[in-house]
Amino acid sequence: MSDYPRTIDNGAGEELTFLGTRTDDRGEYLEARNTVKPGSGPPMHVHKLQEESLTVERGTMGWQRRGEEEHLAQPGETVTFAPGEMHRFWNAGDDDLVCSGYVRPPDNLEYFLTQIFASTRESGGKRPRMLDAAYLLSRYRSEFGMADIPAPVQRFVFPVVAAVGRLLGKGRRFAGAPEPVKRA
């Protein structure tokens, strides 16, 4: 998608630097590094087709799999979430949390997060704009999901909002969006 390294900022305390795509004996992956301000972090979410792994370099990372207890990870510790595993992480300390990690395979993660971060930043750092979230979570529903948004809203309401947005010419920012990945 771009030249590396490339950094995005959501205006809500998260900065993510894409370091590049790499290949090893398990295939292609996207390497990244993030810095998260105290108390910040993504909400409960899922990468339906991808493994996500984070290694704490500095600070304290809180993390949780859906339905499980909250945990803490310290510098040097790695937490890996399997494809389809609903999870979240956050800065559980008083200083910046810095992690390195990867997502395997990359699929559309870089595009998706770039758009979500931009929309969140442009709307004041609270949450992405409704049309942007509707478009992205509808188009890439085979790849990503959010636990805080009820499944029927993601499945039925968001596609309608996205279609109305396109009819009103509001979806131009997504011209050239990559095709969603679908695996059997």
Side-chain angles (χ1 to χ4, degrees):
M1 176 174 179
S2 66
D3 293 326
Y4 298 107
R6 187 172 72 81
T7 300
I8 59 175
D9 182 340
N10 71 358
E14 294 178 75
E15 187 176 274
L16 179 61
T17 301
F18 299 109
L19 300 173
T21 54
R22 316 273 190 253
T23 304
D24 64 13
D25 60 338
R26 292 180 52 211
E28 189 177 33
Y29 62 95
L30 176 62
E31 188 176 22
R33 187 167 199 248
N34 66 347
T35 302
V36 183
K37 298 290 182 199
S40 295
M44 189 71 73
H45 65 281
V46 63
H47 306 267
K48 296 177 182 178
L49 307 173
Q50 302 161 312
E51 173 182 275
E52 179 181 21
S53 187
L54 300 163
T55 299
V56 178
E57 293 181 8
R58 189 171 76 236
T60 301
M61 181 177 75
W63 62 275
Q64 181 182 31
R65 289 182 175 92
R66 183 184 218 166
E68 294 184 10
E69 300 279 325
E70 293 181 355
H71 302 276
L72 296 177
Q74 303 296 332
E77 294 183 293
T78 299
V79 178
T80 302
F81 302 104
E85 194 169 57
M86 190 70 72
H87 65 280
R88 69 184 182 116
F89 66 89
W90 65 96
N91 182 338
D94 297 325
D95 298 313
D96 283 357
L97 168 66
V98 178
C99 296
S100 57
Y102 66 85
V103 172
R104 174 189 309 272
D107 295 337
N108 289 312
L109 182 77
E110 185 175 352
Y111 178 82
F112 181 84
L113 288 180
T114 296
Q115 298 301 320
I116 288 287
F117 271 47
S119 181
T120 301
R121 187 180 61 253
E122 291 161 9
S123 71
K126 297 295 181 204
R127 63 178 52 96
R129 291 184 298 245
M130 171 68 101
L131 175 63
D132 298 341
Y135 175 83
L136 293 164
L137 287 168
S138 295
R139 182 170 178 87
Y140 299 106
R141 73 176 163 258
S142 64
E143 296 180 62
F144 312 106
M146 303 295 296
D148 292 347
I149 302 170
V153 170
Q154 291 184 64
R155 191 97 172 129
F156 302 111
V157 176
F158 275 7
V160 172
V161 170
V164 169
R166 279 191 299 277
L167 288 173
L168 297 174
K170 303 281 186 185
R172 286 186 209 102
R173 77 182 289 156
F174 302 114
E179 289 298 315
V181 174
K182 295 178 180 137
R183 291 193 185 91

